[in-house]
Amino acid sequence: VRAKGQAYFDQNDEPVRFVGSVLDITEQKEDELRKNDFIGMVSHELKTPLTSLKAIIQMANLKLKNTDDAFLAGAMEKANVQVKRMTNMINGFLNVSRLESAKLQIDKHKFDLAEMIEETVKEINLTITSHAIEFERINTVFVNADRDKIISVATNLISNAIKYSPKGKVVEVKCEVIGDNVQVSVKDEGMGLKPQDVSKVFDRYFRVESNHTRHIAGFGIGLYLSAEIIHRHDGKIWVESESDNGSTFYFSLPI
Ligand code: ADP
């Protein structure tokens, strides 16, 4: 239920009156959940035939090595590019549906954020060879938060740093204590953001329109959902960036 309005109290601070509106959003939430489940399920189902297709193309390519049929080789190369595009799109859908459901329910426990970030970086490093992801950590820092959701946010920021910076560049991940908060930063050496785009990157469906970004798959929803998750933890999320000079995305959580 979402309520909006003003409460009135008597001399003893007892509530006497509430003026405003109360809106039942259960149905809206259920709708959102169903839609989300559907996207997740369809994306997952699409992955199976796509994996077979990838294997078939790989096998055909092995056979083709012994022939010099330029037409067939070209056709296989094109098929491979399309399979890769589709895989990226489906992974994007899965990411969106994962983040969408992540924002709906926050389940807090105490855990070591420094260790969690280190694990996330390690895992990404296992699957990525295009960039060097460096991590600088402090010993331990405990937060009361939803571990899986914070992993989604960190993964999203690191994936973006990889997506929006050229191959071979370094991505620097840092975890530090500042006052009563722990701050995580993800710094890339990528294309950066124009001043007018900096304030918009956390808006739903916002994507920078440029020749650089046009061929990069995405839905403009990852940062919006990351911000929702961080705000639900009473944390902050922001970016410092300069066009052509890299970006640093930050989030901080109360310790
Ligand atoms: P997506 O990457 O799926 O488009 P996001 O919400 O994660 O969606 O990001 C929104 C937009 O912000 C991106 O489309 C891109 O234009 C810009 N952006 C995000 N991260 C970076 C980054 N590290 N460097 C430059 N631009 C970025």
Side-chain angles (χ1 to χ4, degrees):
V1 172
R2 184 175 286 159
K4 226 161 95 180
Q6 169 85 45
Y8 292 86
F9 301 88
D10 63 15
Q11 308 93 298
N12 305 321
D13 268 351
E14 291 293 329
V16 285
R17 198 150 53 99
F18 174 81
V19 179
S21 63
V22 176
L23 182 69
D24 186 348
I25 57 165
T26 316
E27 221 170 274
Q28 217 170 306
K29 281 228 156 138
E30 277 176 0
D31 252 14
E32 222 171 289
L33 264 178
R34 267 195 296 272
K35 193 172 74 198
N36 215 12
D37 279 356
F38 181 73
I39 296 174
M41 200 181 70
V42 170
S43 310
H44 204 76
E45 289 299 310
L46 285 173
K47 274 196 130 173
T48 317
L50 205 56
T51 308
S52 311
L53 206 55
K54 213 156 111 188
I56 293 166
I57 293 173
Q58 265 168 5
M59 261 157 38
N61 271 338
L62 278 180
K63 287 240 170 204
L64 273 174
K65 269 196 179 151
N66 305 322
T67 68
D68 40 45
D69 190 326
F71 173 80
L72 267 186
M76 277 302 153
E77 179 57 36
K78 281 185 188 140
N80 210 14
V81 168
Q82 296 306 325
V83 165
K84 270 197 190 146
R85 271 186 68 184
M86 204 146 151
T87 309
N88 281 341
M89 276 163 74
I90 289 170
N91 284 339
F93 277 135
L94 278 171
N95 203 19
V96 167
S97 89
R98 205 192 52 203
L99 281 164
E100 281 278 12
S101 46
K103 83 168 192 208
L104 294 174
Q105 205 191 350
I106 302 282
D107 196 6
K108 290 184 182 174
H109 295 281
K110 213 169 160 190
F111 67 88
D112 180 0
L113 184 79
E115 187 258 356
M116 184 228 94
I117 300 282
E118 185 168 37
E119 281 303 306
T120 308
V121 170
K122 263 191 201 154
E123 218 160 276
I124 297 177
N125 262 330
L126 285 179
T127 56
I128 287 281
T129 51
S130 59
H131 294 70
I133 308 170
E134 290 172 358
F135 179 60
E136 200 178 296
R137 70 167 278 186
I138 38 175
N139 286 335
T140 48
V141 57
F142 281 92
V143 290
N144 187 30
D146 190 317
R147 195 171 190 272
D148 286 347
K149 269 94 183 163
I150 302 298
I151 291 179
S152 295
V153 174
T155 306
N156 190 234
L157 297 185
I158 300 170
S159 308
N160 276 350
I162 294 165
K163 253 163 79 176
Y164 299 104
S165 66
K167 275 186 188 162
K169 293 289 184 186
V170 174
V171 173
E172 240 178 82
V173 183
K174 233 190 238 176
C175 189
E176 50 199 318
V177 173
I178 297 179
D180 295 338
N181 299 298
V182 51
Q183 176 177 296
V184 176
S185 58
V186 179
K187 183 173 191 284
D188 67 52
E189 301 172 337
M191 59 183 73
L193 290 157
K194 293 199 177 111
Q196 68 265 32
D197 292 332
V198 167
S199 59
K200 296 189 197 140
V201 287
F202 297 101
D203 292 352
R204 193 173 194 152
Y205 305 129
F206 177 80
R207 300 202 72 212
V208 173
E209 280 282 335
S210 76
N211 288 336
H212 276 118
T213 54
R214 200 153 297 135
H215 62 279
I216 303 173
F219 300 95
I221 204 166
L223 286 177
Y224 160 77
L225 290 169
S226 297
E228 290 253 318
I229 292 168
I230 294 299
H231 292 152
R232 297 243 344 235
H233 283 88
D234 301 316
K236 290 199 181 108
I237 184 163
W238 71 101
V239 57
E240 282 167 10
S241 180
E242 236 178 86
S243 214
D244 299 322
N245 213 3
S247 313
T248 308
F249 280 83
Y250 300 86
F251 70 84
S252 74
L253 292 172
I255 296 174

